[in-house]
Amino acid sequence: MAKRILGIDPGLLHTGWAIIDAQGPSRHYVASGVILPPKNETMANRLACIFRGVSEICEKFSPDELSIEIIFVNTNAKTSLVLGQARAAAIVAAAIREIPVFEYEPNKIKKALTCAGHADKDQVYKMVKMFLPLANPKTPDESDAIAIALAHANSMQIRAF
């Protein structure tokens, strides 16, 4: 059965998103982009922008599942906290629509695509283009969101066996 997957690369300045369709080993690019909360707004308004953006994507594309990157613990606790809040805004937008949420560590996403858990952004971009030639991500956040959706699709296929 085909699944529509929403991949999210959370961030307070740039939240990448991607929609792919997956059925068995088949993957199809649908759409992707970046939510850009205004830098000069309050934290609450920026989080609301992420929430509204993910909500609009869910309304427009009706994903079956959401895959999102788990935020690694930064040496700067404040940065980790802010990223966690951006992540929560995206998760809640999906969860209130009863869209199941799946979480993946950054190194596992990279390993699923490149076979290297510490691949750089350029390697991830190249693999995204290889797996989904119709995708044309314009930013690393958008490319990472596509990678997150692909990693979930691959994980979903493995779980089916």
Side-chain angles (χ1 to χ4, degrees):
M1 180 171 137
K3 291 273 187 180
R4 177 155 283 184
I5 301 166
L6 168 57
I8 296 283
D9 180 36
L12 196 58
L13 296 176
H14 312 98
T15 292
W17 64 272
I19 298 284
I20 68 167
D21 288 335
Q23 184 169 8
S26 198
R27 311 282 180 261
H28 300 283
Y29 172 80
V30 177
S32 59
V34 179
I35 300 165
L36 300 168
K39 294 177 187 178
N40 59 344
E41 285 290 335
T42 65
M43 174 69 80
N45 287 340
R46 292 165 83 184
L47 294 171
C49 178
I50 294 167
F51 178 86
R52 282 191 302 272
V54 173
S55 294
E56 290 169 9
I57 294 161
C58 289
E59 291 300 316
K60 182 174 182 178
F61 295 103
S62 301
D64 298 305
E65 298 176 344
L66 175 130
S67 57
I68 191 165
E69 186 175 75
I70 294 173
I71 302 302
F72 60 91
V73 178
N74 244 316
T75 53
N76 182 336
K78 185 176 178 181
T79 301
S80 295
L81 180 62
V82 168
L83 285 172
Q85 290 173 321
R87 186 174 172 276
I91 289 172
V92 172
I96 64 170
R97 289 166 177 77
E98 299 183 2
I99 297 169
V101 176
F102 297 84
E103 303 169 282
Y104 297 94
E105 295 170 1
N107 63 336
K108 291 189 178 168
I109 294 164
K110 292 174 183 177
K111 192 169 188 173
L113 256 64
T114 68
C115 296
H118 298 287
D120 62 27
K121 299 274 185 192
D122 189 50
Q123 289 172 299
V124 171
Y125 175 84
K126 287 177 182 172
M127 293 308 288
V128 162
K129 289 295 291 174
M130 188 177 92
F131 284 115
L132 296 171
L134 296 179
N136 189 24
K138 294 173 183 46
T139 69
D141 305 291
E142 190 176 348
S143 179
D144 286 352
I146 298 168
I148 292 162
L150 283 168
H152 177 64
N154 294 342
S155 174
M156 183 177 70
Q157 185 180 0
I158 292 167
R159 284 192 311 268
F161 288 108

